Amino acid sequence: MRDTIFTRKPEFEILPMTADDCAAVSQLHGQRFARPWNDGEFLSLLLQPNSYGFVARQTNALIFKPPLSGFVLAREVAGEAEILTIAVHDKVGRAGLGWRLMQAAMREAHARGGEAMFLEVDDGNAAAIGLYRKLGFEKAGERPAYYADNQGRKSAALVMKRVLR
């Protein structure tokens, strides 16, 4: 009994992102990216009529419960959708949350008329690239020296695409 309490698989609910989520989304983004976006930037993007997002909250945490477990922000315009940013809290990584957030974003893009979805990913982020490939994304292009880390090192952005039909 005691082992099941401490090894319980995390459970999450995926909900539409609202303006009230922007501060927590910004905080998580700042933990995961070298150039964080502030809550005003998230709010500005979210309020655009073609943008949408989802947040994930853990529902069964006993000890550590982050205010936000993950999020995805996307937009769809004229049949093309784009993942603007996505992040999962490091305490709940490898729990399938990125997969679920991406699925929610792809379903919403398709419902809005999206025929294809694009994203950019740092070419050094093997975990994210692996996830995107499992979701059916393929490399469509590359932007050399696109990202810079906190030490100023540059890395390429892979542009990936998935057909949604």
Side-chain angles (χ1 to χ4, degrees):
M1 171 74 171
R2 187 175 192 175
D3 288 339
T4 60
I5 291 173
F6 295 109
T7 60
R8 182 180 300 180
K9 185 176 179 180
E11 295 174 9
F12 304 96
E13 60 182 351
I14 308 294
L15 304 165
M17 186 185 296
T18 69
D20 292 339
D21 295 315
C22 289
V25 165
S26 174
Q27 182 180 12
L28 177 55
H29 191 270
Q31 294 169 11
R32 305 302 282 172
F33 292 94
R35 202 289 225 187
W37 299 355
N38 65 43
D39 56 341
E41 291 170 298
F42 276 103
L43 181 60
S44 177
L45 286 166
L46 186 61
L47 292 178
Q48 294 176 9
N50 57 341
S51 296
Y52 59 94
F54 294 94
V55 295
R57 299 188 191 287
Q58 189 170 352
T59 59
N60 68 337
L62 296 176
I63 299 172
F64 174 78
K65 188 172 184 176
L68 191 70
S69 299
F71 71 88
V72 62
L73 183 64
R75 66 178 156 207
E76 187 279 328
V77 178
E80 291 188 350
E82 173 186 20
I83 297 293
L84 299 172
T85 187
I86 180 171
V88 173
H89 200 286
D90 62 351
K91 297 284 186 186
V92 293
R94 310 289 306 162
L97 193 50
W99 177 276
R100 290 184 59 198
L101 287 164
M102 286 294 296
Q103 290 285 340
M106 290 187 300
R107 276 192 304 272
E108 180 66 19
H110 186 41
R112 289 173 177 237
E115 296 179 14
M117 179 169 269
F118 293 85
L119 58 83
E120 293 172 353
V121 60
D122 188 311
D123 69 348
N125 190 342
I129 293 168
L131 169 65
Y132 302 143
R133 285 192 175 131
K134 285 179 185 174
L135 285 163
F137 284 82
E138 296 177 351
K139 182 179 172 182
E142 187 171 329
R143 295 189 170 113
Y146 187 78
Y147 294 112
D149 67 12
N150 291 331
Q151 288 76 41
R153 292 182 298 247
K154 300 278 186 166
S155 59
L158 299 181
V159 178
M160 300 183 81
K161 175 184 177 181
R162 181 186 191 273
V163 175
L164 297 174
R165 292 179 266 145

Coordinates of all heavy atoms in Angstrom, one line a residue, residues 43-82:
L43 N -0.6 37.1 -22.7 CA -1.9 37.6 -22.7 C -2.2 38.2 -24.1 O -3.3 38.0 -24.7 CB -2.2 38.6 -21.6 CG -3.6 39.2 -21.6 CD1 -4.6 38.2 -21.3 CD2 -3.6 40.3 -20.5
S44 N -1.3 39.0 -24.6 CA -1.5 39.6 -25.9 C -1.7 38.6 -27.0 O -2.5 38.7 -27.9 CB -0.2 40.5 -26.3 OG -0.4 41.0 -27.5
L45 N -0.9 37.5 -27.0 CA -1.0 36.4 -28.0 C -2.3 35.7 -27.8 O -3.1 35.4 -28.7 CB 0.1 35.4 -27.9 CG 1.5 35.9 -28.4 CD1 2.6 35.0 -28.0 CD2 1.4 36.0 -30.0
L46 N -2.7 35.4 -26.5 CA -3.9 34.6 -26.2 C -5.1 35.3 -26.7 O -6.1 34.7 -27.1 CB -3.9 34.2 -24.7 CG -5.1 33.3 -24.3 CD1 -5.0 32.0 -25.0 CD2 -5.0 33.1 -22.8
L47 N -5.1 36.7 -26.5 CA -6.3 37.5 -26.9 C -6.5 37.6 -28.4 O -7.6 38.1 -28.8 CB -6.2 38.8 -26.2 CG -6.4 38.8 -24.6 CD1 -6.2 40.2 -24.1 CD2 -7.7 38.1 -24.2
Q48 N -5.5 37.3 -29.2 CA -5.7 37.3 -30.6 C -6.8 36.3 -31.0 O -6.8 35.2 -30.5 CB -4.4 37.1 -31.4 CG -3.4 38.2 -31.1 CD -2.1 37.9 -31.8 OE1 -1.9 37.0 -32.5 NE2 -1.1 38.7 -31.4
P49 N -7.7 36.6 -31.9 CA -8.8 35.7 -32.2 C -8.4 34.4 -32.9 O -9.1 33.4 -32.8 CB -9.7 36.5 -33.2 CG -8.8 37.7 -33.7 CD -7.8 37.9 -32.6
N50 N -7.2 34.3 -33.4 CA -6.8 33.1 -34.1 C -5.8 32.3 -33.2 O -5.4 31.2 -33.6 CB -6.0 33.4 -35.4 CG -4.9 34.3 -35.2 OD1 -4.8 35.0 -34.2 ND2 -4.0 34.4 -36.2
S51 N -5.6 32.7 -32.0 CA -4.7 32.0 -31.0 C -5.5 31.2 -30.0 O -6.7 31.6 -29.7 CB -3.8 33.0 -30.3 OG -2.9 33.6 -31.2
Y52 N -4.9 30.2 -29.5 CA -5.5 29.4 -28.5 C -4.4 28.6 -27.7 O -3.3 28.5 -28.1 CB -6.5 28.4 -29.1 CG -5.9 27.4 -30.1 CD1 -5.4 26.2 -29.6 CD2 -5.7 27.8 -31.4 CE1 -4.8 25.3 -30.6 CE2 -5.1 26.9 -32.3 CZ -4.7 25.7 -31.9 OH -4.1 24.8 -32.8
G53 N -4.8 28.2 -26.5 CA -3.8 27.4 -25.7 C -4.5 26.5 -24.8 O -5.7 26.5 -24.6
F54 N -3.7 25.6 -24.2 CA -4.2 24.6 -23.2 C -3.2 24.6 -22.1 O -2.0 24.8 -22.3 CB -4.3 23.2 -23.8 CG -5.4 23.2 -24.9 CD1 -5.0 23.3 -26.2 CD2 -6.7 23.0 -24.5 CE1 -6.0 23.3 -27.2 CE2 -7.7 22.9 -25.5 CZ -7.3 23.1 -26.8
V55 N -3.7 24.4 -20.9 CA -2.8 24.2 -19.7 C -3.1 22.8 -19.1 O -4.2 22.3 -19.3 CB -3.1 25.3 -18.6 CG1 -2.6 26.7 -19.2 CG2 -4.5 25.3 -18.2
A56 N -2.1 22.3 -18.4 CA -2.2 21.0 -17.8 C -2.0 21.2 -16.3 O -1.0 21.9 -15.9 CB -1.2 20.0 -18.3
R57 N -2.8 20.7 -15.5 CA -2.7 20.7 -14.0 C -2.7 19.3 -13.5 O -3.6 18.5 -13.9 CB -3.8 21.6 -13.4 CG -3.7 23.0 -13.9 CD -4.7 23.9 -13.1 NE -4.9 25.1 -13.7 CZ -4.0 26.1 -13.7 NH1 -2.9 26.0 -13.1 NH2 -4.3 27.3 -14.3
Q58 N -1.8 19.0 -12.6 CA -1.8 17.7 -12.0 C -2.9 17.6 -10.9 O -3.1 18.5 -10.1 CB -0.4 17.4 -11.3 CG -0.3 15.9 -10.9 CD 1.1 15.5 -10.5 OE1 2.0 16.3 -10.6 NE2 1.2 14.4 -9.9
T59 N -3.7 16.5 -11.0 CA -4.9 16.4 -10.1 C -4.6 15.5 -8.9 O -5.4 15.4 -8.0 CB -6.1 15.9 -10.9 OG1 -5.7 14.6 -11.5 CG2 -6.5 16.9 -12.0
N60 N -3.5 14.7 -8.9 CA -3.3 13.7 -7.8 C -2.0 13.9 -7.1 O -1.5 12.9 -6.5 CB -3.5 12.3 -8.4 CG -2.4 11.9 -9.3 OD1 -1.7 12.8 -9.9 ND2 -2.1 10.7 -9.5
A61 N -1.4 15.0 -7.1 CA -0.1 15.2 -6.4 C -0.3 15.3 -4.9 O -1.2 15.9 -4.4 CB 0.6 16.5 -6.9
L62 N 0.5 14.5 -4.2 CA 0.4 14.5 -2.7 C 1.4 15.5 -2.1 O 1.1 16.2 -1.1 CB 0.7 13.1 -2.2 CG -0.3 12.0 -2.6 CD1 0.1 10.7 -2.1 CD2 -1.7 12.4 -2.1
I63 N 2.6 15.5 -2.6 CA 3.6 16.4 -2.0 C 3.9 17.6 -2.8 O 3.7 18.7 -2.3 CB 4.9 15.5 -1.8 CG1 4.6 14.3 -0.9 CG2 6.0 16.4 -1.2 CD1 5.8 13.4 -0.7
F64 N 4.4 17.4 -4.0 CA 4.8 18.6 -4.8 C 3.7 18.8 -5.9 O 3.4 17.9 -6.7 CB 6.1 18.4 -5.5 CG 6.5 19.4 -6.5 CD1 6.9 20.7 -6.1 CD2 6.3 19.2 -7.9 CE1 7.2 21.7 -7.0 CE2 6.5 20.2 -8.8 CZ 7.0 21.5 -8.3
K65 N 3.1 19.9 -5.9 CA 2.0 20.2 -6.9 C 2.3 21.6 -7.5 O 2.0 22.6 -6.9 CB 0.7 20.2 -6.2 CG -0.5 20.3 -7.2 CD -1.8 20.1 -6.6 CE -2.9 20.1 -7.6 NZ -4.2 19.8 -7.0
P66 N 3.0 21.6 -8.7 CA 3.2 22.9 -9.3 C 1.9 23.6 -9.6 O 0.9 22.9 -9.9 CB 4.0 22.5 -10.5 CG 3.7 21.1 -10.8 CD 3.4 20.5 -9.5
P67 N 1.9 24.9 -9.6 CA 0.7 25.6 -10.0 C 0.3 25.3 -11.4 O -0.9 25.4 -11.7 CB 1.1 27.1 -9.8 CG 2.6 27.1 -9.8 CD 3.1 25.8 -9.3
L68 N 1.3 24.9 -12.2 CA 1.0 24.6 -13.6 C 2.0 23.5 -14.0 O 3.2 23.6 -13.8 CB 1.2 25.8 -14.5 CG 0.7 25.7 -15.9 CD1 -0.8 25.7 -16.0 CD2 1.2 26.9 -16.7
S69 N 1.5 22.4 -14.6 CA 2.3 21.3 -15.0 C 2.8 21.4 -16.4 O 3.9 20.9 -16.8 CB 1.6 19.9 -14.9 OG 1.2 19.7 -13.5
G70 N 2.1 22.1 -17.2 CA 2.5 22.3 -18.6 C 1.5 23.2 -19.4 O 0.4 23.5 -18.9
F71 N 1.9 23.6 -20.6 CA 1.0 24.4 -21.4 C 1.5 24.3 -22.8 O 2.6 23.9 -23.1 CB 1.1 25.9 -21.0 CG 2.3 26.6 -21.3 CD1 2.5 27.2 -22.5 CD2 3.4 26.6 -20.4 CE1 3.7 27.9 -22.8 CE2 4.6 27.3 -20.7 CZ 4.8 27.9 -21.9
V72 N 0.6 24.7 -23.7 CA 0.9 24.9 -25.2 C 0.1 26.1 -25.6 O -1.0 26.3 -25.2 CB 0.6 23.6 -26.0 CG1 -0.9 23.3 -26.0 CG2 1.0 23.7 -27.4
L73 N 0.8 26.9 -26.5 CA 0.1 28.0 -27.1 C 0.3 27.9 -28.6 O 1.4 27.7 -29.1 CB 0.8 29.3 -26.6 CG 0.1 30.7 -27.1 CD1 -1.3 30.8 -26.6 CD2 0.9 31.8 -26.6
A74 N -0.8 28.1 -29.3 CA -0.8 27.9 -30.8 C -1.7 28.9 -31.4 O -2.4 29.7 -30.8 CB -1.2 26.5 -31.1
R75 N -1.6 28.9 -32.8 CA -2.5 29.7 -33.6 C -2.8 29.0 -34.9 O -2.0 28.2 -35.4 CB -2.0 31.1 -33.8 CG -0.8 31.3 -34.6 CD -0.4 32.7 -34.8 NE 1.0 32.8 -35.0 CZ 1.8 33.9 -34.7 NH1 1.2 34.9 -34.1 NH2 3.0 33.9 -35.0
E76 N -3.9 29.4 -35.5 CA -4.3 28.8 -36.8 C -4.8 30.0 -37.6 O -5.6 30.8 -37.2 CB -5.4 27.8 -36.6 CG -5.8 27.1 -37.9 CD -6.7 27.9 -38.9 OE1 -7.6 28.6 -38.4 OE2 -6.6 27.7 -40.1
V77 N -4.2 30.1 -38.9 CA -4.6 31.2 -39.8 C -4.6 30.5 -41.2 O -3.6 29.9 -41.6 CB -3.6 32.3 -39.8 CG1 -4.0 33.4 -40.8 CG2 -3.5 32.9 -38.4
A78 N -5.7 30.7 -41.9 CA -5.8 30.4 -43.3 C -5.4 28.9 -43.6 O -4.6 28.7 -44.5 CB -5.0 31.3 -44.2
G79 N -5.8 28.0 -42.7 CA -5.4 26.6 -43.0 C -4.1 26.1 -42.4 O -3.8 24.9 -42.5
E80 N -3.3 27.0 -41.9 CA -2.0 26.6 -41.3 C -2.0 27.0 -39.9 O -2.3 28.1 -39.4 CB -0.8 27.3 -42.0 CG -0.7 26.8 -43.5 CD 0.6 27.4 -44.1 OE1 1.3 28.3 -43.5 OE2 1.0 26.9 -45.2
A81 N -1.6 26.0 -39.1 CA -1.5 26.2 -37.6 C 0.0 26.2 -37.2 O 0.9 25.6 -38.0 CB -2.2 25.0 -36.9
E82 N 0.3 26.8 -36.1 CA 1.7 26.9 -35.6 C 1.7 26.7 -34.1 O 0.9 27.4 -33.4 CB 2.2 28.3 -36.0 CG 3.6 28.6 -35.5 CD 4.0 30.0 -35.8 OE1 3.1 30.9 -36.1 OE2 5.2 30.3 -35.7

